[in-house]
Amino acid sequence: MKIGFLGPKGSFSHHVAQEAFPADTLVAFENITDVVKAYEIGEVDYSVVPVENSIEGSVHETLDYLFHQAAIYAVAEVVQPIQQQLLATATEKPVEKIFSHPQAIAQGKKYIRQHYPQAKIEITASTAYAARFVAQHPEKNYAAIAPKTAASEYSLQIIAEDIQEMDENFTRFWLLGQSILDLPLYPKEKKMTLALTLPDNLPGALYKALATFAWRGIDLTKIESRPLKTALGEYFFIVDINNEKANLVSFAIKELETIGITYKILGNYTVYTISEK
C-alpha cells in the first residue's frame, strides 16, 4: 500500500506513518490539504494527518477540510508523544534565525524567549521542512525546532533537548481511508467524531444535541465550535464521543435526526498509542 503523510521525512507525521505502516510505501506531501487530496484522487491508500495537539489545540486545516470539502473520514487514530528539539548544523554556532511549524514554535516559545530572545522566527510547513532547510544551509546561523528523527534524517546536532513547555505533550493523528485498520500499536479505546450543524429555529439546539448522549450515559471527550463560513455567528460543532457502547451511540444519532440536527461523521475509529522510548 501507499501511505500519504505530511513531509518531508523526519516529521512527526512521518514517524506515525512508519509506526502504523512499517511494511508499506510512504509518500510525503507538502501540506495537510495535499495529504488529504492524495487519498481523494486515489494516489495513496491511506493518509496520515494531524488533528489536535494537547497544548496548541485543534489543527483547523484538517478539521475544516474534512467538514467542508471531503467525503472521507478517520478509520484509526494514533496518539504520538511530542518532544521538540532545537537542531543546528553545529552546536557551537550562534543562532540568528529559528525555523519551524507554528505549533512547534508555540510549544517551544518559552525556551526561545529565555535563551534566544534576539533570534528571528521563520514559519515552515512542517518541523521536518525546517530541519531540512537548516541542513541545506550550513553556512548560516540557523536552527530548527523539530523531532529527534529529523536530527538523524538530516545529520543535525541537538542544541537543546525537549524544549516544549509542558512534558505532557501529545498530538492526535488521524488515518484517513475507508477500511477499518488493525495497527501494530497499542489499542486504547473506541471513539467517534461528529460534526453537528444546528437548525436556526430550534431553541436550545446545542443543549438538546448534547442531551441525546448525556442521558444515555455516553461520555463526550471533546466539544469545539468552528465557523460554518456562511455568515458571521454561524458555527458547526465538533464532538468526540466514547464509542465503546456502539449501540447506544447509534440510538443517540437517530435521536439527533429526529429533532432535526444535521450531522457528519468525521471519524469512527480505534485509538492507538505510540509508547515513549
Side-chain angles (χ1 to χ4, degrees):
M1 293 191 301
K2 290 185 178 180
I3 312 301
F5 69 94
L6 177 61
K9 293 180 178 179
S11 66
F12 287 111
S13 295
H14 181 224
H15 184 246
V16 169
Q18 286 179 312
E19 293 289 313
F21 301 97
D24 295 295
T25 302
L26 307 184
V27 184
F29 294 90
E30 291 189 357
N31 56 63
I32 291 171
T33 299
D34 285 347
V35 179
V36 180
K37 284 184 176 179
Y39 173 78
E40 287 185 295
I41 64 175
E43 189 174 346
V44 297
D45 298 287
Y46 290 94
S47 286
V48 179
V49 291
V51 66
E52 183 181 23
N53 177 260
S54 58
I55 296 176
E56 292 302 309
S58 294
V59 181
H60 294 148
E61 183 179 356
T62 299
L63 293 173
D64 287 354
Y65 190 90
L66 291 179
F67 176 76
H68 290 287
Q69 301 184 59
I72 57 180
Y73 60 92
V75 294
E77 176 176 296
V78 177
V79 179
Q80 163 73 58
I82 302 296
Q83 289 90 31
Q84 302 287 8
Q85 323 299 320
L86 189 63
L87 311 178
T89 54
T91 56
E92 68 277 4
K93 66 164 50 180
V95 175
E96 297 176 359
K97 280 188 179 181
I98 298 175
F99 297 80
S100 199
H101 185 272
Q103 288 206 343
I105 289 172
Q107 292 161 15
K109 62 186 175 184
K110 183 177 179 180
Y111 180 90
I112 295 171
R113 288 172 181 169
Q114 182 178 352
H115 296 275
Y116 300 98
Q118 304 305 317
K120 294 183 179 179
I121 304 299
E122 296 286 344
I123 301 299
T124 59
S126 75
T127 54
Y129 273 112
R132 187 176 69 177
F133 182 80
V134 169
Q136 291 170 342
H137 296 83
E139 77 285 0
K140 301 288 189 179
N141 294 325
Y142 290 166
I145 300 175
K148 287 183 179 178
T149 51
S152 58
E153 184 72 37
Y154 301 108
S155 300
L156 295 173
Q157 302 297 313
I158 298 177
I159 300 177
E161 293 187 271
D162 299 344
I163 68 170
Q164 67 276 359
E165 291 187 26
M166 299 175 63
D167 292 332
E168 292 297 313
N169 187 5
F170 299 87
T171 295
R172 301 167 59 199
F173 289 85
W174 277 356
L175 279 53
L176 306 177
Q178 290 296 330
S179 302
I180 301 298
L181 291 167
D182 185 16
L183 302 180
L185 298 172
Y186 304 97
K188 185 180 178 183
E189 60 184 339
K190 295 184 181 298
K191 290 172 59 179
M192 178 182 286
T193 298
L194 299 178
L196 307 179
T197 305
L198 309 180
D200 294 333
N201 59 350
L202 180 63
L206 179 58
Y207 167 79
K208 292 176 181 178
L210 300 182
T212 63
F213 301 99
W215 76 263
R216 290 181 170 88
I218 300 169
D219 186 25
L220 302 183
T221 59
K222 172 185 174 179
I223 179 169
E224 177 183 359
S225 63
R226 290 292 300 149
L228 265 174
K229 300 182 180 181
T230 52
L232 185 65
E234 294 185 350
Y235 302 91
F236 68 95
F237 293 86
I238 299 166
V239 180
D240 283 355
I241 303 160
N242 183 298
N243 198 25
E244 296 292 346
K245 301 176 181 177
N247 58 328
L248 293 181
V249 172
S250 178
F251 292 141
I253 290 175
K254 289 179 180 178
E255 186 175 342
L256 290 178
E257 298 172 350
T258 301
I259 60 180
I261 294 173
T262 304
Y263 68 89
K264 180 178 183 179
I265 297 176
L266 300 185
N268 186 7
Y269 48 88
T270 298
V271 180
Y272 297 85
T273 59
I274 296 177
S275 63
E276 297 186 59
K277 299 179 181 179

